[in-house]
Amino acid sequence: NDINVTAGTGGAGGAGVGAGNGAAGGVGGAGGAGGAVGLAVYGGGLLGYNAGAGFTIKDSYATGTVSVTGGNGGVGQVGGTGANAISAVVGGAGGVGGAGGAGGFAYGGGLAGFTNTSVLISGSYATGNVTVVAGNGGAAGNGGAGATGGAGQVGGAGGVGGAAGLGGASYTGGLVGLVTSGNISHSYSTGVIQGTSGNGGNSGAGGAGGAGGSGVTGTVGTAGTTGANGGVNYTGGLVGDNTSHILLSYKTGGAVTATSGNGGNGGAGGTGGASGSITNGTAVAGGAGAAGGVGGAVSIGGLVGRNGVAALSASITSSYATTSVTALGGNGGNGGTGGNGGNGSSGTN
């Protein structure tokens, strides 16, 4: 039978709210992470997730297609606006924007999605196509605007923009998505294998600085927040991410394609606050725009996407692949625009 597994999207956070006389705005709520418990979803033609050690899969097979989709992260909400001063006090600061939720990881294999330590897979095969799509990171909320200061007082600082959610990683294999440790022997896969990682979310803009009270310059705009990185990708014709010993096994037939996640855009800088009636009309700068996120890395192979990690051994013996392989690395995100400077036209010469 065909296997179709899709995780849910994380919920959006609640908006921050303002308050009274020079009080700070509330923090925007963070978005929930996409996916199931552990931020991941698992799918396999025979077995989705093997929790125990020393598990054996022998003389077994799966012929249906496998489709696994990770959940998207929820959206963070805007920070609350600071309250204007109604007496000679500093203007209220803007609230911090809510963080975006992380995109859900996704593991999929023609036979098994994820296997735990000391697995033994022998004399087994999978012939169905495998498609894995990890979740996108949620966008973050903008920082709230700072409020106007009272007479002779500075305006409130703009809130910091929220950090966006990271793109989810994908682990895709024609036989197994990820093998923690063990042995795979006399096994093969023949389907079309496609792994796609999640994009990083766009981060929040910095809040505008509050206007100054009479005789005071405004407050500098708050810098934007760096965009989130795209998800990494491990895709292989037989195993996506391998720390086992592979013997006398192979991948033929369908092509292997991997696409990592794009980086999210950096947040724009907040506008500088207007100056009060100050001599010479001096005004403040806007906030700096932030850098975009980094595109995710790709590890792909006709047989194995990534073989071995630090402190763990892995080997491939008398095995082969005859399929075509295509890797598409994610783009980096765009940087945020710098904020406009404050208005000093109320000044006197």
Side-chain angles (χ1 to χ4, degrees), residues 69-222:
T69 304
N72 295 326
V75 176
Q77 298 298 303
V78 64
T81 300
N84 290 330
I86 56 177
S87 59
V89 297
V90 175
V96 176
F105 284 29
Y107 298 77
L111 194 70
F114 179 101
T115 63
N116 217 313
T117 55
S118 303
V119 69
L120 172 61
I121 300 175
S122 176
S124 299
Y125 65 89
T127 59
N129 298 337
V130 181
T131 302
V132 174
V133 180
N136 297 321
N142 296 331
T148 300
Q153 300 293 324
V154 297
V160 176
L166 298 172
S170 62
Y171 298 79
T172 313
L175 194 73
V176 184
L178 184 146
V179 181
T180 304
S181 67
N183 295 278
I184 298 174
S185 67
H186 300 85
S187 298
Y188 67 91
S189 66
T190 62
V192 175
I193 312 303
Q194 296 177 307
T196 303
S197 299
N199 298 323
N202 297 330
S203 287
S214 58
V216 181
T217 58
T219 298
V220 175
T222 299

Side-chain angles (χ1 to χ4, degrees), residues 12-13 46 53 59 91 104-105 107 124 159 190 195 227 234-235 251 287 304 308 319-321 329 348:
L46 186 70
D59 299 332
F105 284 29
Y107 298 77
S124 299
T190 62
Y234 305 102
T235 300
K251 165 69 171 79
V304 173
S319 299
Y320 65 91
T348 58

Side-chain angles (χ1 to χ4, degrees), residues 3-339:
I3 305 298
N4 227 310
V5 184
T6 302
T9 298
V17 296
N21 188 23
V27 176
V37 175
L39 311 185
V41 62
Y42 307 87
L46 186 70
L47 171 72
Y49 181 95
N50 159 228
F55 188 74
T56 297
I57 302 174
K58 185 176 181 181
D59 299 332
S60 300
Y61 66 92
T63 59
T65 61
V66 175
S67 178
V68 181
T69 304
N72 295 326
V75 176
Q77 298 298 303
V78 64
T81 300
N84 290 330
I86 56 177
S87 59
V89 297
V90 175
V96 176
F105 284 29
Y107 298 77
L111 194 70
F114 179 101
T115 63
N116 217 313
T117 55
S118 303
V119 69
L120 172 61
I121 300 175
S122 176
S124 299
Y125 65 89
T127 59
N129 298 337
V130 181
T131 302
V132 174
V133 180
N136 297 321
N142 296 331
T148 300
Q153 300 293 324
V154 297
V160 176
L166 298 172
S170 62
Y171 298 79
T172 313
L175 194 73
V176 184
L178 184 146
V179 181
T180 304
S181 67
N183 295 278
I184 298 174
S185 67
H186 300 85
S187 298
Y188 67 91
S189 66
T190 62
V192 175
I193 312 303
Q194 296 177 307
T196 303
S197 299
N199 298 323
N202 297 330
S203 287
S214 58
V216 181
T217 58
T219 298
V220 175
T222 299
T225 299
T226 302
N229 294 344
V232 296
N233 186 298
Y234 305 102
T235 300
L238 192 75
V239 178
D241 194 6
N242 175 62
T243 47
S244 72
H245 302 288
I246 298 175
L247 172 68
L248 293 168
S249 297
Y250 62 90
K251 165 69 171 79
T252 61
V256 180
T257 304
T259 304
S260 63
N262 297 322
N265 296 333
T271 301
S275 298
S277 53
I278 187 169
T279 304
N280 296 326
T282 304
V284 297
V294 177
V298 180
S299 296
I300 183 174
L303 194 73
V304 173
R306 179 173 70 166
N307 192 56
V309 294
L312 294 174
S313 62
S315 65
I316 301 173
T317 305
S318 301
S319 299
Y320 65 91
T322 61
T323 186
S324 62
V325 174
T326 303
L328 300 171
N331 297 318
N334 296 322
T337 304

